[in-house]
């Protein structure tokens, strides 16, 4: 059906969210904190697209902040439901691009993680377990300024 093909083409060619305030010193510092505490191990900043019949999409560098892989996120995020071959505690790393815009598109509040239980970015980080336990612990050991810088960076995405 041509209408379906047109919608698929439209969705494939939507522009990725653009990072905001990326030259602000606190955002730059927050990006370093993000890497230092281990977030970039799974929320990989940069990927390269594969070959596509759409030239504008073929072999392009983009910045989704995900590795697109399944990770064991621990008992705290285990919801008892399987999806495909994933265990009940495994979750695909969500892209962080657009994170700072999501609050405005959700009625002024955050609803983060797979079930929306985290209403702040800080709470979402604290609920990371399993393979992300060390990053969560590292976050909790940051001082107030470092946490603020990290949040400013994440909200810039």
């Amino acid at each position: 059906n041509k209408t379906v093909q047109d919608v698929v083409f439209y969705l494939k060619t939507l522009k990725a969210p653009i990072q905001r305030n990326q030259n602000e010193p606190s955002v730059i510092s927050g990006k370093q904190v993000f890497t230092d505490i281990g977030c970039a191990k799974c929320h990989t900043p940069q990927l390269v697209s594969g070959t596509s019949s759409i030239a504008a999409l073929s072999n392009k560098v983009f910045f989704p902040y995900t590795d697109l892989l399944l990770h064991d996120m621990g008992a705290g995020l285990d919801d008892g439901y399987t999806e495909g071959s994933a265990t009940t505690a495994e979750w695909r790393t969500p892209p962080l691009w657009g994170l700072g815009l999501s609050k405005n598109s959700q009625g002024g509040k955050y609803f983060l993680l797979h079930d929306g239980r985290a209403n702040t970015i800080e709470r979402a980080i604290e609920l990371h377990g399993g393979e992300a336990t060390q990053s969560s612990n590292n976050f909790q050991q940051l001082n107030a300024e470092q946490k603020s810088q990290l949040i400013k960076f994440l909200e810039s995405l």
Side-chain angles (χ1 to χ4, degrees):
N1 179 320
K2 178 153 175 31
T3 301
V4 171
Q5 290 173 352
D6 288 346
V7 170
V8 169
F9 178 81
Y10 169 76
L11 292 173
K12 280 183 176 180
T13 58
L14 280 173
K15 188 173 186 175
I18 297 171
Q19 185 179 7
R20 293 152 320 283
N21 307 319
Q22 60 188 327
N23 295 321
E24 281 186 17
S26 60
V27 171
I28 293 167
S29 297
K31 183 175 184 178
Q32 187 61 54
V33 172
F34 180 83
T35 300
D36 290 348
I37 67 171
C39 301
K41 290 177 184 171
C42 298
H43 291 283
T44 307
Q46 177 180 309
L47 296 176
V48 179
S49 66
T51 303
S52 174
S53 60
I54 303 169
L57 303 179
S58 193
N59 303 305
K60 300 296 181 187
V61 174
F62 62 108
F63 302 89
Y65 289 86
T66 178
D67 61 8
L68 298 173
L69 299 175
L70 288 175
H71 295 280
D72 177 351
M73 294 302 294
L77 294 182
D78 187 333
D79 64 3
Y81 294 98
T82 59
E83 188 173 331
S85 62
T87 68
T88 59
E90 286 182 319
W91 297 98
R92 189 168 310 281
T93 307
L96 295 180
W97 61 7
L99 176 62
L101 301 172
S102 66
K103 188 176 184 179
N104 291 337
S105 66
Q106 298 175 5
K109 298 179 182 179
Y110 283 115
F111 297 93
L112 304 173
L113 299 175
H114 68 284
D115 56 5
R117 75 173 82 172
N119 59 5
T120 66
I121 294 172
E122 295 90 332
R123 185 68 181 137
I125 296 169
E126 291 166 357
L127 288 169
H128 280 55
E131 294 177 50
T133 300
Q134 188 60 54
S135 294
S136 179
N137 290 344
N138 291 344
F139 170 75
Q140 292 175 48
Q141 293 173 10
L142 295 174
N143 64 40
E145 181 181 15
Q146 292 168 314
K147 284 183 180 180
S148 174
Q149 291 168 340
L150 176 62
I151 299 307
K152 284 183 182 190
F153 165 68
L154 293 170
E155 288 182 333
S156 79
L157 298 178

